[in-house]
Coordinates of all heavy atoms in Angstrom, one line a residue:
H468 N -4.0 1.4 20.9 CA -3.3 1.6 19.7 C -2.0 0.8 19.6 O -0.9 1.2 20.0 CB -2.9 3.1 19.5 CG -4.2 4.0 19.4 ND1 -5.1 3.8 18.5 CD2 -4.6 5.0 20.3 CE1 -6.1 4.8 18.7 NE2 -5.8 5.4 19.8
E469 N -2.2 -0.4 19.2 CA -1.1 -1.4 19.2 C 0.0 -1.1 18.2 O 1.0 -1.8 18.3 CB -1.7 -2.8 18.9 CG -2.3 -2.9 17.5 CD -2.9 -4.2 17.1 OE1 -4.1 -4.4 17.4 OE2 -2.2 -5.1 16.6
V470 N -0.1 -0.2 17.3 CA 0.9 0.1 16.3 C 1.9 1.2 16.7 O 2.8 1.5 16.0 CB 0.3 0.4 14.9 CG1 -0.5 -0.7 14.4 CG2 -0.6 1.7 15.0
I471 N 1.8 1.7 17.9 CA 2.7 2.7 18.4 C 4.1 2.0 18.5 O 4.2 0.9 19.0 CB 2.3 3.3 19.7 CG1 1.1 4.2 19.4 CG2 3.4 4.2 20.3 CD1 0.5 4.8 20.7
G472 N 5.1 2.6 17.9 CA 6.4 2.0 17.9 C 6.7 1.3 16.6 O 7.9 0.9 16.3
F473 N 5.7 1.1 15.7 CA 5.9 0.4 14.4 C 6.6 1.4 13.5 O 6.5 2.6 13.5 CB 4.5 0.0 13.8 CG 4.0 -1.2 14.3 CD1 4.0 -1.6 15.7 CD2 3.3 -2.1 13.5 CE1 3.4 -2.7 16.2 CE2 2.7 -3.3 13.9 CZ 2.8 -3.6 15.3
E474 N 7.5 0.8 12.6 CA 8.1 1.5 11.5 C 7.1 1.6 10.4 O 6.4 0.7 10.1 CB 9.4 0.8 11.1 CG 10.5 0.7 12.1 CD 11.1 2.1 12.4 OE1 11.3 2.9 11.4 OE2 11.3 2.4 13.5
V475 N 7.2 2.8 9.7 CA 6.3 3.0 8.5 C 7.2 3.1 7.3 O 8.2 3.9 7.3 CB 5.5 4.3 8.7 CG1 4.6 4.5 7.4 CG2 4.6 4.2 9.9
E476 N 6.8 2.4 6.3 CA 7.6 2.4 5.0 C 6.6 2.7 3.9 O 5.6 2.0 3.7 CB 8.3 1.1 4.8 CG 9.1 1.0 3.5 CD 9.8 -0.3 3.4 OE1 10.5 -0.8 4.3 OE2 9.6 -1.0 2.3
D477 N 6.9 3.8 3.1 CA 6.1 4.1 2.0 C 6.6 3.5 0.7 O 7.9 3.4 0.5 CB 6.0 5.6 1.8 CG 5.2 6.1 0.6 OD1 4.0 5.8 0.6 OD2 5.8 6.6 -0.3
S478 N 5.8 3.1 -0.2 CA 6.2 2.4 -1.4 C 7.1 3.3 -2.3 O 8.0 2.8 -3.0 CB 5.0 1.9 -2.2 OG 4.2 3.0 -2.6
A479 N 6.9 4.6 -2.3 CA 7.7 5.5 -3.1 C 8.8 6.2 -2.3 O 9.9 6.3 -2.8 CB 6.8 6.5 -3.8
F480 N 8.5 6.6 -1.1 CA 9.4 7.4 -0.3 C 10.5 6.6 0.4 O 11.6 7.0 0.6 CB 8.7 8.2 0.7 CG 9.5 9.1 1.5 CD1 9.9 10.4 1.1 CD2 9.9 8.7 2.8 CE1 10.7 11.2 1.8 CE2 10.7 9.6 3.6 CZ 11.1 10.8 3.1
G481 N 10.1 5.4 0.8 CA 10.9 4.5 1.6 C 10.6 4.6 3.1 O 9.4 4.9 3.4
S482 N 11.6 4.5 3.9 CA 11.4 4.6 5.4 C 10.9 6.0 5.8 O 11.6 7.0 5.6 CB 12.7 4.2 6.1 OG 12.4 4.3 7.5
V483 N 9.7 6.0 6.4 CA 9.2 7.3 6.9 C 9.6 7.6 8.3 O 10.0 8.7 8.6 CB 7.7 7.3 6.7 CG1 7.1 8.7 7.2 CG2 7.2 7.0 5.3
G484 N 9.5 6.6 9.1 CA 9.9 6.7 10.5 C 9.1 5.8 11.4 O 8.5 4.9 11.0
T485 N 9.0 6.2 12.7 CA 8.3 5.4 13.8 C 7.1 6.1 14.2 O 7.1 7.3 14.5 CB 9.3 5.2 15.0 OG1 10.5 4.7 14.5 CG2 8.7 4.3 16.0
I486 N 6.0 5.3 14.3 CA 4.7 5.9 14.8 C 4.9 6.2 16.3 O 5.2 5.3 17.1 CB 3.6 4.9 14.6 CG1 3.3 4.6 13.1 CG2 2.3 5.4 15.3 CD1 2.3 3.6 12.8
T487 N 4.6 7.5 16.7 CA 4.7 7.9 18.1 C 3.3 8.0 18.7 O 3.2 7.9 19.9 CB 5.4 9.2 18.2 OG1 4.8 10.2 17.4 CG2 6.9 9.1 17.7
K488 N 2.3 8.2 17.9 CA 0.9 8.4 18.4 C -0.1 8.2 17.3 O 0.2 8.4 16.1 CB 0.8 9.8 19.0 CG -0.5 10.2 19.6 CD -0.5 11.6 20.1 CE -1.9 12.0 20.5 NZ -2.0 13.4 20.9
I489 N -1.3 7.8 17.7 CA -2.4 7.9 16.8 C -3.3 9.1 17.2 O -3.8 9.1 18.3 CB -3.3 6.6 16.9 CG1 -2.4 5.3 16.6 CG2 -4.5 6.7 15.9 CD1 -1.9 5.2 15.2
N490 N -3.4 10.0 16.3 CA -4.1 11.2 16.6 C -5.6 11.0 16.1 O -5.8 11.0 14.9 CB -3.5 12.5 16.0 CG -4.2 13.7 16.3 OD1 -5.4 13.7 16.6 ND2 -3.5 14.8 16.3
D491 N -6.5 10.8 17.1 CA -7.9 10.5 16.7 C -8.8 11.6 17.3 O -9.9 11.3 17.6 CB -8.3 9.1 17.0 CG -8.1 8.7 18.4 OD1 -7.7 9.6 19.2 OD2 -8.3 7.5 18.8
D492 N -8.3 12.8 17.5 CA -9.0 13.8 18.1 C -10.1 14.5 17.1 O -11.0 15.2 17.6 CB -8.1 15.0 18.6 CG -7.2 14.5 19.7 OD1 -7.6 13.5 20.4 OD2 -6.1 15.1 19.9
S493 N -9.9 14.2 15.8 CA -10.8 14.8 14.8 C -11.5 13.7 14.1 O -11.3 12.5 14.4 CB -10.0 15.7 13.9 OG -9.1 14.9 13.2
A494 N -12.3 14.0 13.1 CA -13.1 13.0 12.4 C -12.1 12.1 11.6 O -12.5 10.9 11.5 CB -14.0 13.7 11.4
Q495 N -11.0 12.5 11.2 CA -10.0 11.7 10.5 C -8.8 11.4 11.4 O -8.2 12.3 12.0 CB -9.5 12.4 9.3 CG -8.4 11.7 8.5 CD -8.8 10.4 8.0 OE1 -9.7 10.2 7.3 NE2 -8.1 9.3 8.5
A496 N -8.5 10.1 11.7 CA -7.4 9.7 12.5 C -6.1 9.8 11.6 O -6.1 9.6 10.4 CB -7.6 8.3 13.0
F497 N -5.0 10.1 12.3 CA -3.7 10.2 11.7 C -2.7 9.4 12.4 O -2.7 9.4 13.7 CB -3.2 11.7 11.7 CG -4.0 12.6 10.7 CD1 -5.1 13.3 11.2 CD2 -3.6 12.8 9.4 CE1 -5.8 14.1 10.4 CE2 -4.3 13.6 8.6 CZ -5.4 14.3 9.1
F498 N -1.7 8.8 11.7 CA -0.5 8.3 12.3 C 0.4 9.5 12.5 O 0.7 10.3 11.6 CB 0.3 7.3 11.4 CG -0.4 6.0 11.1 CD1 -0.6 5.6 9.8 CD2 -0.8 5.2 12.2 CE1 -1.2 4.4 9.6 CE2 -1.4 4.0 11.9 CZ -1.6 3.6 10.6
E499 N 0.9 9.7 13.7 CA 1.9 10.7 14.0 C 3.2 10.0 14.0 O 3.5 9.0 14.7 CB 1.7 11.4 15.3 CG 0.5 12.3 15.4 CD 0.5 13.2 16.6 OE1 1.4 13.2 17.4 OE2 -0.6 13.8 16.8
I500 N 4.1 10.4 13.0 CA 5.4 9.6 12.8 C 6.6 10.5 13.0 O 6.6 11.7 12.5 CB 5.4 9.1 11.3 CG1 4.2 8.2 11.1 CG2 6.7 8.4 11.0 CD1 3.9 7.9 9.6
D501 N 7.6 10.0 13.7 CA 8.8 10.8 13.9 C 9.8 10.4 12.8 O 10.2 9.2 12.7 CB 9.4 10.4 15.3 CG 10.8 11.1 15.5 OD1 10.9 12.2 15.1 OD2 11.7 10.4 16.0
H502 N 10.1 11.4 12.0 CA 11.1 11.2 10.9 C 12.3 12.1 11.2 O 12.3 13.3 10.9 CB 10.5 11.6 9.5 CG 11.4 11.5 8.4 ND1 11.6 10.4 7.7 CD2 12.2 12.4 7.8 CE1 12.5 10.6 6.8 NE2 12.9 11.8 6.8
N503 N 13.3 11.5 11.9 CA 14.5 12.2 12.3 C 14.2 13.5 13.0 O 14.8 14.5 12.7 CB 15.4 12.4 11.1 CG 15.8 11.1 10.4 OD1 16.1 10.2 11.1 ND2 15.8 11.2 9.1
G504 N 13.2 13.5 13.9 CA 12.9 14.7 14.7 C 11.8 15.6 14.1 O 11.4 16.5 14.7
T505 N 11.4 15.2 12.9 CA 10.3 16.0 12.3 C 9.0 15.2 12.3 O 9.0 14.0 12.0 CB 10.6 16.3 10.8 OG1 11.8 17.1 10.8 CG2 9.5 17.1 10.1
Q506 N 7.9 15.8 12.7 CA 6.6 15.1 12.7 C 6.0 15.0 11.3 O 5.9 16.0 10.6 CB 5.7 15.8 13.7 CG 4.3 15.0 13.8 CD 3.4 15.7 14.7 OE1 3.0 16.9 14.4 NE2 3.0 15.1 15.8
V507 N 5.6 13.8 10.9 CA 4.9 13.6 9.7 C 3.6 13.0 10.0 O 3.5 12.0 10.8 CB 5.7 12.6 8.8 CG1 4.9 12.3 7.5 CG2 7.1 13.2 8.4
L508 N 2.5 13.5 9.4 CA 1.2 13.0 9.7 C 0.7 12.2 8.4 O 0.7 12.8 7.3 CB 0.2 14.1 10.0 CG 0.5 14.9 11.2 CD1 -0.5 16.1 11.3 CD2 0.5 14.1 12.5
I509 N 0.2 11.0 8.6 CA -0.4 10.2 7.5 C -1.8 9.8 7.9 O -1.9 9.2 9.0 CB 0.5 9.0 7.1 CG1 1.8 9.4 6.6 CG2 -0.2 8.1 6.2 CD1 2.8 8.3 6.2
P510 N -2.8 10.1 7.1 CA -4.1 9.7 7.5 C -4.2 8.2 7.6 O -3.6 7.5 6.8 CB -5.0 10.3 6.3 CG -4.2 11.3 5.7 CD -2.7 10.9 5.9
V511 N -5.0 7.8 8.6 CA -5.2 6.3 8.7 C -6.4 6.0 7.8 O -7.6 6.1 8.1 CB -5.6 5.9 10.2 CG1 -5.8 4.4 10.3 CG2 -4.4 6.4 11.1
I512 N -6.1 5.6 6.5 CA -7.1 5.4 5.5 C -6.7 4.0 4.9 O -5.6 3.7 4.6 CB -7.0 6.4 4.3 CG1 -7.3 7.8 4.9 CG2 -8.0 6.1 3.2 CD1 -7.1 8.9 3.9
D513 N -7.7 3.1 4.8 CA -7.5 1.8 4.3 C -6.8 1.7 3.0 O -6.0 0.8 2.8 CB -8.9 1.0 4.2 CG -9.5 0.7 5.5 OD1 -8.7 0.7 6.5 OD2 -10.7 0.4 5.6
T514 N -7.1 2.7 2.1 CA -6.5 2.6 0.8 C -5.0 3.0 0.8 O -4.2 2.6 -0.1 CB -7.1 3.6 -0.2 OG1 -7.2 4.9 0.3 CG2 -8.6 3.1 -0.5
F515 N -4.5 3.7 1.9 CA -3.1 4.0 2.1 C -2.3 2.8 2.7 O -1.2 2.6 2.4 CB -2.9 5.2 3.0 CG -3.2 6.5 2.3 CD1 -3.1 7.7 3.0 CD2 -3.5 6.6 1.0 CE1 -3.3 8.9 2.5 CE2 -3.8 7.9 0.4 CZ -3.7 9.0 1.2
I516 N -3.0 2.0 3.5 CA -2.3 1.0 4.3 C -2.3 -0.3 3.4 O -3.3 -0.9 3.1 CB -3.0 0.7 5.6 CG1 -3.0 2.0 6.5 CG2 -2.3 -0.5 6.3 CD1 -3.9 1.9 7.7
K517 N -1.1 -0.7 3.0 CA -1.0 -1.9 2.2 C -0.7 -3.2 2.9 O -1.1 -4.3 2.5 CB 0.1 -1.7 1.1 CG -0.1 -0.5 0.2 CD -1.4 -0.6 -0.5 CE -1.8 0.6 -1.3 NZ -3.2 0.6 -1.8
E518 N 0.0 -3.1 4.1 CA 0.4 -4.3 4.8 C 0.7 -3.9 6.3 O 1.4 -2.9 6.5 CB 1.6 -5.0 4.2 CG 2.0 -6.2 4.9 CD 3.3 -6.8 4.3 OE1 3.6 -6.5 3.2 OE2 3.9 -7.6 5.0
V519 N 0.2 -4.7 7.2 CA 0.6 -4.5 8.6 C 1.3 -5.8 9.1 O 0.7 -6.9 9.1 CB -0.6 -4.2 9.5 CG1 -0.2 -4.1 11.0 CG2 -1.4 -3.0 9.1
D520 N 2.6 -5.7 9.4 CA 3.4 -6.8 9.8 C 3.6 -6.7 11.3 O 4.5 -6.1 11.7 CB 4.7 -6.8 9.0 CG 5.6 -8.0 9.4 OD1 5.4 -8.7 10.3 OD2 6.6 -8.2 8.6
R521 N 2.8 -7.4 12.0 CA 2.9 -7.3 13.5 C 4.1 -8.0 14.0 O 4.7 -7.6 15.0 CB 1.6 -7.9 14.1 CG 0.4 -7.0 14.0 CD -0.9 -7.6 14.6 NE -2.0 -6.7 14.5 CZ -2.7 -6.4 13.5 NH1 -2.5 -7.0 12.4 NH2 -3.7 -5.5 13.6
T522 N 4.6 -9.0 13.4 CA 5.7 -9.8 13.8 C 7.0 -8.9 13.8 O 7.7 -8.8 14.7 CB 6.0 -11.0 12.9 OG1 4.8 -11.8 12.9 CG2 7.2 -11.8 13.4
N523 N 7.2 -8.1 12.7 CA 8.3 -7.3 12.5 C 8.1 -5.8 12.9 O 8.9 -5.0 12.7 CB 8.9 -7.4 11.1 CG 9.4 -8.8 10.8 OD1 10.2 -9.3 11.6 ND2 8.9 -9.4 9.8
K524 N 6.8 -5.5 13.3 CA 6.4 -4.2 13.7 C 6.7 -3.2 12.6 O 7.3 -2.1 12.8 CB 7.1 -3.7 15.0 CG 6.7 -4.5 16.2 CD 7.2 -3.9 17.5 CE 6.6 -4.7 18.6 NZ 6.7 -4.0 19.9
K525 N 6.1 -3.5 11.4 CA 6.2 -2.6 10.3 C 4.9 -2.4 9.6 O 4.1 -3.3 9.6 CB 7.2 -3.2 9.2 CG 8.6 -3.1 9.6 CD 9.5 -3.4 8.4 CE 10.9 -3.1 8.8 NZ 11.8 -2.8 7.7
I526 N 4.6 -1.2 9.1 CA 3.4 -0.9 8.3 C 3.9 -0.4 7.0 O 4.7 0.5 6.9 CB 2.5 0.1 9.0 CG1 2.0 -0.5 10.3 CG2 1.4 0.5 8.1 CD1 1.1 0.5 11.1
K527 N 3.4 -1.0 5.9 CA 3.7 -0.6 4.6 C 2.5 0.2 4.1 O 1.4 -0.2 4.1 CB 4.0 -1.8 3.6 CG 5.3 -2.5 4.0 CD 5.7 -3.5 3.1 CE 7.0 -4.2 3.5 NZ 7.4 -5.2 2.6
V528 N 2.8 1.4 3.6 CA 1.8 2.3 3.1 C 2.1 2.7 1.6 O 3.3 2.6 1.2 CB 1.6 3.6 4.0 CG1 1.2 3.2 5.4 CG2 2.9 4.4 4.0
S529 N 1.1 3.3 1.0 CA 1.3 3.9 -0.3 C 0.5 5.2 -0.3 O -0.7 5.1 -0.5 CB 0.9 3.0 -1.4 OG 1.2 3.6 -2.7
V530 N 1.1 6.3 0.0 CA 0.3 7.5 0.1 C 0.4 8.4 -1.1 O 1.2 8.1 -2.0 CB 0.8 8.4 1.4 CG1 0.6 7.6 2.6 CG2 2.2 8.8 1.2
T531 N -0.4 9.4 -1.2 CA -0.5 10.3 -2.3 C 0.9 10.9 -2.5 O 1.6 11.3 -1.5 CB -1.5 11.4 -2.1 OG1 -2.8 10.8 -1.8 CG2 -1.6 12.3 -3.2
E532 N 1.4 11.0 -3.7 CA 2.7 11.6 -4.0 C 2.8 13.0 -3.5 O 1.9 13.8 -3.6 CB 2.9 11.6 -5.6 CG 4.2 12.1 -6.0 CD 4.5 12.1 -7.5 OE1 3.8 11.3 -8.2 OE2 5.3 12.8 -7.9
G533 N 3.9 13.2 -2.8 CA 4.2 14.5 -2.2 C 3.7 14.8 -0.8 O 4.1 15.7 -0.2
L534 N 2.8 13.9 -0.3 CA 2.3 14.1 1.0 C 3.4 14.1 2.1 O 3.4 15.0 2.9 CB 1.3 13.0 1.4 CG 0.7 13.0 2.8 CD1 -0.2 14.3 2.9 CD2 -0.1 11.8 3.1
I535 N 4.3 13.1 2.1 CA 5.3 13.0 3.1 C 6.3 14.2 2.9 O 6.7 14.8 3.9 CB 6.1 11.7 3.0 CG1 5.1 10.6 3.3 CG2 7.3 11.7 3.9 CD1 5.6 9.2 2.9
E536 N 6.6 14.6 1.7 CA 7.6 15.6 1.5 C 7.1 17.0 2.0 O 7.9 17.9 2.3 CB 7.9 15.7 0.0 CG 8.7 14.6 -0.6 CD 7.9 13.3 -0.9 OE1 6.7 13.3 -0.7 OE2 8.5 12.4 -1.4
L537 N 5.8 17.2 2.0 CA 5.2 18.4 2.6 C 5.7 18.8 4.0 O 6.0 19.9 4.3 CB 3.7 18.4 2.6 CG 2.9 18.5 1.3 CD1 1.4 18.3 1.6 CD2 3.1 19.9 0.8
Y538 N 5.9 17.7 4.8 CA 6.4 17.9 6.1 C 7.9 18.1 6.2 O 8.4 18.5 7.3 CB 6.0 16.7 7.0 CG 4.5 16.6 7.1 CD1 3.7 15.7 6.3 CD2 3.8 17.3 8.1 CE1 2.4 15.6 6.4 CE2 2.4 17.2 8.2 CZ 1.7 16.4 7.4 OH 0.4 16.3 7.5
L539 N 8.6 17.8 5.2 CA 10.1 17.8 5.2 C 10.7 19.0 4.5 O 11.9 19.1 4.5 CB 10.6 16.5 4.6 CG 10.0 15.2 5.3 CD1 10.6 14.0 4.6 CD2 10.3 15.1 6.8
E540 N 9.9 19.9 4.0 CA 10.4 21.1 3.3 C 10.9 22.1 4.3 O 10.4 22.3 5.4 CB 9.4 21.6 2.4 CG 9.0 20.7 1.3 CD 8.0 21.3 0.3 OE1 7.3 22.2 0.7 OE2 7.9 20.7 -0.8

């Protein structure tokens, strides 16, 4: 999992945090992201991932509205 440590940025939310793990224990894999001490899970789905910048260690995503906020309430 070469993307561990990458920063995740959502098109609407902004900076989500840093990928700490790829959870692939179930049928759907998830990015486990640390957002200021809170875990945020984003499904690893091609339609969500807009850009992977390996040089700058960033992943740009565009997830369903409200998905990230669910973890931060």
Side-chain angles (χ1 to χ4, degrees):
H468 299 300
E469 64 181 89
V470 297
I471 292 175
F473 279 38
E474 292 292 320
V475 177
E476 183 178 305
D477 178 66
S478 58
F480 182 83
S482 177
V483 181
T485 304
I486 297 173
T487 57
K488 179 181 176 187
I489 304 294
N490 184 331
D491 55 5
D492 295 336
S493 62
Q495 175 61 59
F497 291 89
F498 291 128
E499 289 188 11
I500 302 166
D501 175 42
H502 177 83
N503 300 323
T505 301
Q506 183 184 60
V507 175
L508 301 176
I509 294 180
V511 180
I512 300 174
D513 288 342
T514 55
F515 284 177
I516 301 169
K517 300 304 176 191
E518 180 183 342
V519 177
D520 180 349
R521 288 178 171 80
T522 303
N523 296 307
K524 295 190 171 193
K525 286 193 175 203
I526 296 179
K527 293 185 179 179
V528 297
S529 182
V530 300
T531 305
E532 184 178 336
L534 177 67
I535 296 166
E536 291 83 356
L537 282 173
Y538 295 94
L539 305 178
E540 293 180 345

